[in-house]
PDB file of all heavy atoms in Angstrom:
ATOM      1  N   LEU A  18     136.581  95.979 149.761  1.00 98.00           N
ATOM      2  CA  LEU A  18     135.633  95.202 150.491  1.00 98.00           C
ATOM      3  C   LEU A  18     136.212  93.757 150.672  1.00 98.00           C
ATOM      4  O   LEU A  18     136.676  93.135 149.627  1.00 98.00           O
ATOM      5  CB  LEU A  18     134.339  95.060 149.761  1.00 98.00           C
ATOM      6  CG  LEU A  18     133.281  93.936 150.233  1.00 98.00           C
ATOM      7  CD1 LEU A  18     132.811  94.305 151.599  1.00 98.00           C
ATOM      8  CD2 LEU A  18     132.173  93.857 149.191  1.00 98.00           C
ATOM      9  N   LEU A  20     135.486  89.938 152.306  1.00 98.00           N
ATOM     10  CA  LEU A  20     134.594  89.042 152.854  1.00 98.00           C
ATOM     11  C   LEU A  20     135.200  87.612 152.958  1.00 98.00           C
ATOM     12  O   LEU A  20     136.050  87.253 152.221  1.00 98.00           O
ATOM     13  CB  LEU A  20     133.347  89.001 152.020  1.00 98.00           C
ATOM     14  CG  LEU A  20     132.458  90.220 151.822  1.00 98.00           C
ATOM     15  CD1 LEU A  20     131.370  90.034 150.877  1.00 98.00           C
ATOM     16  CD2 LEU A  20     132.033  90.760 153.149  1.00 98.00           C
ATOM     17  N   ILE A  39     128.579  85.001 144.612  1.00 98.00           N
ATOM     18  CA  ILE A  39     127.474  85.599 143.883  1.00 98.00           C
ATOM     19  C   ILE A  39     126.946  86.802 144.754  1.00 98.00           C
ATOM     20  O   ILE A  39     126.913  86.729 145.988  1.00 98.00           O
ATOM     21  CB  ILE A  39     126.309  84.622 143.731  1.00 98.00           C
ATOM     22  CG1 ILE A  39     126.854  83.445 142.878  1.00 98.00           C
ATOM     23  CG2 ILE A  39     125.179  85.223 142.973  1.00 98.00           C
ATOM     24  CD1 ILE A  39     127.225  82.152 143.729  1.00 98.00           C
ATOM     25  N   ARG A  40     126.552  87.885 144.137  1.00 98.00           N
ATOM     26  CA  ARG A  40     125.997  88.999 144.907  1.00 98.00           C
ATOM     27  C   ARG A  40     124.634  89.366 144.386  1.00 98.00           C
ATOM     28  O   ARG A  40     124.257  89.076 143.259  1.00 98.00           O
ATOM     29  CB  ARG A  40     126.966  90.190 144.841  1.00 98.00           C
ATOM     30  CG  ARG A  40     127.120  90.891 143.570  1.00 98.00           C
ATOM     31  CD  ARG A  40     128.065  92.049 143.608  1.00 98.00           C
ATOM     32  NE  ARG A  40     128.150  92.791 142.418  1.00 98.00           N
ATOM     33  CZ  ARG A  40     128.924  93.912 142.271  1.00 98.00           C
ATOM     34  NH1 ARG A  40     129.635  94.345 143.293  1.00 98.00           N
ATOM     35  NH2 ARG A  40     128.963  94.505 141.094  1.00 98.00           N
ATOM     36  N   ILE A  50     130.065  86.602 140.551  1.00 98.00           N
ATOM     37  CA  ILE A  50     131.299  87.343 140.724  1.00 98.00           C
ATOM     38  C   ILE A  50     132.490  86.537 140.257  1.00 98.00           C
ATOM     39  O   ILE A  50     133.374  87.070 139.534  1.00 98.00           O
ATOM     40  CB  ILE A  50     131.449  87.689 142.211  1.00 98.00           C
ATOM     41  CG1 ILE A  50     130.332  88.567 142.743  1.00 98.00           C
ATOM     42  CG2 ILE A  50     132.877  88.454 142.381  1.00 98.00           C
ATOM     43  CD1 ILE A  50     130.339  88.833 144.165  1.00 98.00           C
ATOM     44  N   ASP A  91     128.297  98.692 144.492  1.00 98.00           N
ATOM     45  CA  ASP A  91     128.791  97.407 145.025  1.00 98.00           C
ATOM     46  C   ASP A  91     128.029  97.004 146.287  1.00 98.00           C
ATOM     47  O   ASP A  91     128.255  95.912 146.817  1.00 98.00           O
ATOM     48  CB  ASP A  91     130.233  97.463 145.290  1.00 98.00           C
ATOM     49  CG  ASP A  91     131.080  97.644 143.967  1.00 98.00           C
ATOM     50  OD1 ASP A  91     130.881  96.868 143.064  1.00 98.00           O
ATOM     51  OD2 ASP A  91     131.938  98.462 143.947  1.00 98.00           O
ATOM     52  N   ALA A  93     125.458  95.296 148.252  1.00 98.00           N
ATOM     53  CA  ALA A  93     124.745  94.080 147.902  1.00 98.00           C
ATOM     54  C   ALA A  93     124.837  93.059 149.009  1.00 98.00           C
ATOM     55  O   ALA A  93     125.629  93.164 149.967  1.00 98.00           O
ATOM     56  CB  ALA A  93     125.342  93.419 146.674  1.00 98.00           C
ATOM     57  N   VAL A  94     123.965  92.025 148.932  1.00 98.00           N
ATOM     58  CA  VAL A  94     124.147  90.842 149.733  1.00 98.00           C
ATOM     59  C   VAL A  94     125.121  89.916 148.977  1.00 98.00           C
ATOM     60  O   VAL A  94     124.845  89.615 147.755  1.00 98.00           O
ATOM     61  CB  VAL A  94     122.801  90.122 149.986  1.00 98.00           C
ATOM     62  CG1 VAL A  94     123.066  88.791 150.653  1.00 98.00           C
ATOM     63  CG2 VAL A  94     121.889  90.961 150.824  1.00 98.00           C
ATOM     64  N   TYR A  95     126.145  89.412 149.606  1.00 98.00           N
ATOM     65  CA  TYR A  95     127.123  88.586 149.025  1.00 98.00           C
ATOM     66  C   TYR A  95     126.982  87.205 149.538  1.00 98.00           C
ATOM     67  O   TYR A  95     126.956  86.921 150.744  1.00 98.00           O
ATOM     68  CB  TYR A  95     128.576  89.134 149.297  1.00 98.00           C
ATOM     69  CG  TYR A  95     128.875  90.464 148.498  1.00 98.00           C
ATOM     70  CD1 TYR A  95     128.383  91.668 148.878  1.00 98.00           C
ATOM     71  CD2 TYR A  95     129.684  90.348 147.455  1.00 98.00           C
ATOM     72  CE1 TYR A  95     128.623  92.781 148.200  1.00 98.00           C
ATOM     73  CE2 TYR A  95     130.027  91.483 146.661  1.00 98.00           C
ATOM     74  CZ  TYR A  95     129.428  92.690 147.095  1.00 98.00           C
ATOM     75  OH  TYR A  95     129.729  93.818 146.316  1.00 98.00           O
ATOM     76  N   TYR A  96     126.893  86.243 148.534  1.00 98.00           N
ATOM     77  CA  TYR A  96     126.712  84.809 148.898  1.00 98.00           C
ATOM     78  C   TYR A  96     127.948  84.055 148.449  1.00 98.00           C
ATOM     79  O   TYR A  96     128.471  84.274 147.397  1.00 98.00           O
ATOM     80  CB  TYR A  96     125.512  84.206 148.169  1.00 98.00           C
ATOM     81  CG  TYR A  96     124.181  84.750 148.521  1.00 98.00           C
ATOM     82  CD1 TYR A  96     123.515  85.683 147.741  1.00 98.00           C
ATOM     83  CD2 TYR A  96     123.441  84.266 149.620  1.00 98.00           C
ATOM     84  CE1 TYR A  96     122.283  86.175 147.992  1.00 98.00           C
ATOM     85  CE2 TYR A  96     122.247  84.762 149.900  1.00 98.00           C
ATOM     86  CZ  TYR A  96     121.605  85.688 149.042  1.00 98.00           C
ATOM     87  OH  TYR A  96     120.356  86.136 149.357  1.00 98.00           O
ATOM     88  N   GLY A 114     124.228  84.516 153.181  1.00 97.00           N
ATOM     89  CA  GLY A 114     124.523  85.847 152.634  1.00 97.00           C
ATOM     90  C   GLY A 114     124.881  86.877 153.670  1.00 97.00           C
ATOM     91  O   GLY A 114     124.478  86.755 154.841  1.00 97.00           O
ATOM     92  N   THR A 115     125.673  87.832 153.284  1.00 98.00           N
ATOM     93  CA  THR A 115     126.046  88.909 154.187  1.00 98.00           C
ATOM     94  C   THR A 115     125.898  90.228 153.428  1.00 98.00           C
ATOM     95  O   THR A 115     126.319  90.371 152.207  1.00 98.00           O
ATOM     96  CB  THR A 115     127.440  88.780 154.761  1.00 98.00           C
ATOM     97  OG1 THR A 115     127.701  89.792 155.704  1.00 98.00           O
ATOM     98  CG2 THR A 115     128.518  88.879 153.655  1.00 98.00           C
TER      99      THR A 115
END
Side-chain angles (χ1 to χ4, degrees):
Chain A
L18 169 66
L20 299 175
I39 300 98
R40 71 180 181 178
I50 299 170
D91 295 310
V94 173
Y95 286 77
Y96 296 99
T115 186

